[in-house]
Amino acid sequence: MGFTIEETEELRRLWNLELEDRFEIDSFASLPSSSNEYLSSDGLFLKNLISKPLTQALREIVAKKPFDPIEYLGHWLLNYKICEEREQRRKEFELELMLEREKLPLWVSAMLIFL
């Protein structure tokens, strides 16, 4: 690819840092449940509700290294919330649709009886 030895070493160093960061984030996100005994109720609340999205956001920040990571994190979390709400509405709509589909044969049968 035409990289110099120094550029290759720098890329290797950056890659190793990336791997170390991923390992640290993974080990934090997968705290054993036995560690819950040391968490306050606030800590449990935060761990249960935001550990997954926050871990995903931090991984992306480490990978992309944005100019302003705080702003990036804020936008990422807002987008995550929007996507979660959209997914919840989609699931509710699918449930309603499934229930309507189950009612349809009953309605058709009732209509045929009256004909």
Side-chain angles (χ1 to χ4, degrees), residues 13-29 55 58-65:
R13 186 185 69 76
L14 289 172
W15 180 251
N16 287 334
L17 286 174
E18 171 90 11
L19 291 176
E20 288 173 13
D21 287 343
R22 285 187 182 180
F23 176 74
E24 288 174 8
I25 291 171
D26 285 341
S27 60
F28 170 75
T55 301
L58 292 175
R59 273 194 185 133
E60 195 167 312
I61 288 171
V62 167
K64 294 188 176 184
K65 296 181 181 28

Side-chain angles (χ1 to χ4, degrees), residues 5-104:
I5 293 174
E6 292 84 21
E7 290 171 329
T8 305
E9 288 301 317
E10 180 65 14
L11 287 172
R12 183 175 289 125
R13 186 185 69 76
L14 289 172
W15 180 251
N16 287 334
L17 286 174
E18 171 90 11
L19 291 176
E20 288 173 13
D21 287 343
R22 285 187 182 180
F23 176 74
E24 288 174 8
I25 291 171
D26 285 341
S27 60
F28 170 75
S30 62
L31 286 174
S33 59
S34 63
S35 68
N36 288 347
E37 65 192 45
Y38 301 111
L39 293 175
S40 66
S41 60
D42 293 337
L44 287 172
F45 170 79
L46 292 172
K47 181 180 177 188
N48 291 334
L49 292 180
I50 67 169
S51 66
K52 178 185 170 196
L54 193 56
T55 301
Q56 291 173 354
L58 292 175
R59 273 194 185 133
E60 195 167 312
I61 288 171
V62 167
K64 294 188 176 184
K65 296 181 181 28
F67 178 73
D68 186 352
I70 303 299
E71 182 178 6
Y72 189 92
L73 176 63
H75 287 289
W76 195 98
L77 290 172
L78 286 171
N79 185 52
Y80 180 86
K81 180 66 175 166
I82 290 168
C83 291
E84 286 289 309
E85 289 172 351
R86 186 178 301 145
E87 180 65 17
Q88 181 64 30
R89 285 193 306 271
R90 185 189 66 76
K91 286 179 181 178
E92 290 171 358
F93 177 75
E94 285 181 359
L95 180 61
E96 287 178 26
L97 190 59
M98 186 179 71
L99 291 173
E100 288 299 319
R101 285 179 181 162
E102 289 176 1
K103 290 179 186 177
L104 185 62

